[in-house]
Amino acid sequence: MSGVRWAYALNQWDTNIDAFVRTREHERAFKTISISGFSGVEFTAVSFGAWEPFGSPAEIANLYGSLEGLRSFLAECALDAVSSYVYDPFVGFDVEMGRGPDPLDPDAVERIATTAVWFADAVHRLGGDALVVRPVGSAWQTGALSDEQIGTLARLWDEVGRRIAAHDVRLALHVDFLSALRLAEGIDRLLAATDPALVGLALDTAEFAIAGIDPVAFFRSHADRVRHIQLKNARHVVDEAEALTPHAEQFVRTEGGARRIERWFFEPTDEGGLIDFEAFAQAVADADYAGWIVVESDQSPHPAESAMVSGWYVQNVLRPIVEGSARLVEEKK
């Protein structure tokens, strides 16, 4: 049997500060994800108070009473688990909508680890097993990382990985297309500096492709470190010069940069884009990957439609590749 479980990211529903705050909206989203063929949902850790109902412990308690209450609600919507939480340390949880600690600050370990442990405990109690983290800031902020900075990051994430392992949760570093790790072989240097038993990688197909990294080739060469997969499509590449634009998060990612790109991310399909999803699915099968694959459609103007389109493609194209290869392996045994 394949060890792959399929989930869908909730982020595309939550695009406006007051558009996704009531339980009836949550029920519609969860049921849409379920009927589209997914068994889990991925949450984002954000500190916007009542406007981000799944982003902090307090708001989950306010709406659902407890994590157990939320899991019961998910089960009523025919979902098995929250597969994962996505946590960006730069988001502050001490003060609502505040600024969080910088992973490059050696004194930030305790604050980051404490927050990570809460979300890891939440993921475990909600049936999932992955904490996906943004390991460092953007390229324009730091330039290429020095060996000393890589060492600082390695010590931080080894410690976080060690602490959340006590909750049976795996740490997965998420490299976005503006990340400082895209420069000077930063991904490989950080992976080499961290303990493979404690620190893995979240491979986001679109983020890698936009950064000019072939996700299929990267997965094949780093399958032993991939702990989590996020699956989405992309149509445009951002080179290093564009990634180094001052305030690239706003100017490039949000506003589309000088090219005025309206949308960076798309549903996984075989109808164009930068990623060969069938080849990626085959690579996943060949590596005998076990873990969650989370489909995303960030920026989708029609969340329910995107979930159903993605679900059809997963069920009819990608899942048979992964599970078909898994059956062949079992038969050979």
Side-chain angles (χ1 to χ4, degrees):
M1 294 292 292
S2 168
V4 171
R5 300 174 72 187
W6 297 88
Y8 199 83
L10 197 65
N11 52 15
Q12 73 184 61
W13 268 274
D14 196 4
T15 57
N16 188 289
I17 196 168
D18 61 353
F20 196 70
V21 296
R22 297 176 178 85
T23 56
R24 65 172 180 266
E25 277 95 11
H26 306 161
E27 181 179 7
R28 290 177 187 140
F30 293 154
K31 288 182 176 179
T32 299
I33 290 169
S34 174
I35 65 171
S36 298
F38 300 98
S39 62
V41 60
E42 182 173 82
F43 288 167
T44 301
V46 183
S47 180
F48 289 169
W51 309 119
E52 192 63 49
F54 302 109
S56 69
E59 295 314 316
I60 289 175
N62 286 342
L63 277 179
Y64 293 99
S66 64
L67 289 168
E68 289 70 27
L70 173 56
R71 189 164 187 185
S72 295
F73 186 81
L74 288 165
E76 292 171 5
C77 298
L79 288 174
D80 296 335
V82 173
S83 61
S84 36
Y85 253 108
V86 178
Y87 165 47
D88 181 352
F90 289 96
V91 175
F93 288 87
D94 299 332
V95 178
E96 187 177 309
M97 298 182 71
R99 177 75 172 173
D102 185 343
L104 287 171
D105 178 1
D107 295 328
V109 173
E110 194 59 37
R111 283 183 66 195
I112 292 174
T114 298
T115 303
V117 165
W118 188 90
F119 284 109
D121 176 62
V123 165
H124 176 70
R125 290 163 64 186
L126 291 168
D129 65 6
L131 181 67
V132 180
V133 300
R134 184 184 180 209
V136 71
S138 296
W140 74 270
Q141 297 171 305
T142 64
L145 298 170
S146 67
D147 290 342
E148 181 180 357
Q149 288 173 314
I150 291 289
T152 297
L153 293 175
R155 287 186 289 274
L156 165 66
W157 296 120
D158 275 350
E159 179 61 21
V160 171
R162 184 176 297 108
R163 294 197 196 185
I164 71 172
H167 299 271
D168 295 324
V169 172
R170 305 186 293 182
L171 182 67
L173 308 181
H174 179 270
V175 180
D176 63 86
F177 71 81
L178 296 176
S179 174
L181 292 172
R182 65 174 289 161
L183 305 175
E185 300 181 342
I187 301 174
D188 284 332
R189 290 165 61 212
L190 183 54
L191 289 177
T194 50
D195 185 341
L198 300 174
V199 179
L201 188 71
L203 197 161
D204 185 316
T205 54
E207 300 276 7
F208 271 53
I210 295 171
I213 304 169
D214 179 353
V216 178
F218 189 95
F219 180 86
R220 288 195 177 278
S221 62
H222 296 77
D224 60 326
R225 295 299 296 270
V226 175
R227 302 288 182 269
H228 191 73
I229 293 170
Q230 292 173 322
L231 208 65
K232 56 180 181 272
N233 209 350
R235 297 175 184 172
H236 307 278
V237 174
V238 169
D239 62 18
E240 287 191 5
E242 194 171 11
L244 289 168
T245 303
H247 306 287
E249 297 91 349
Q250 179 65 32
F251 179 64
V252 178
R253 192 178 186 101
T254 301
E255 298 176 10
R259 293 177 288 165
R260 295 293 186 263
I261 304 299
E262 292 185 3
R263 183 178 171 188
W264 290 108
F265 305 119
F266 298 85
E267 301 79 10
T269 68
D270 56 6
E271 299 178 355
L274 299 177
I275 299 149
D276 184 339
F277 288 103
E278 292 184 42
F280 188 85
Q282 189 61 57
V284 167
D286 293 344
D288 199 23
Y289 169 81
W292 288 94
I293 297 180
V294 179
V295 177
E296 293 187 276
S297 298
D298 314 34
Q299 305 171 315
S300 170
H302 306 291
E305 181 179 341
S306 290
M308 289 186 279
V309 167
S310 298
W312 185 95
Y313 188 65
V314 166
Q315 302 308 316
N316 290 278
V317 180
L318 301 184
R319 193 167 187 169
I321 295 173
V322 172
E323 297 188 354
S325 295
R327 283 194 295 270
L328 289 176
V329 170
E330 288 297 317
E331 289 172 4
K332 289 179 181 178
K333 290 180 180 178

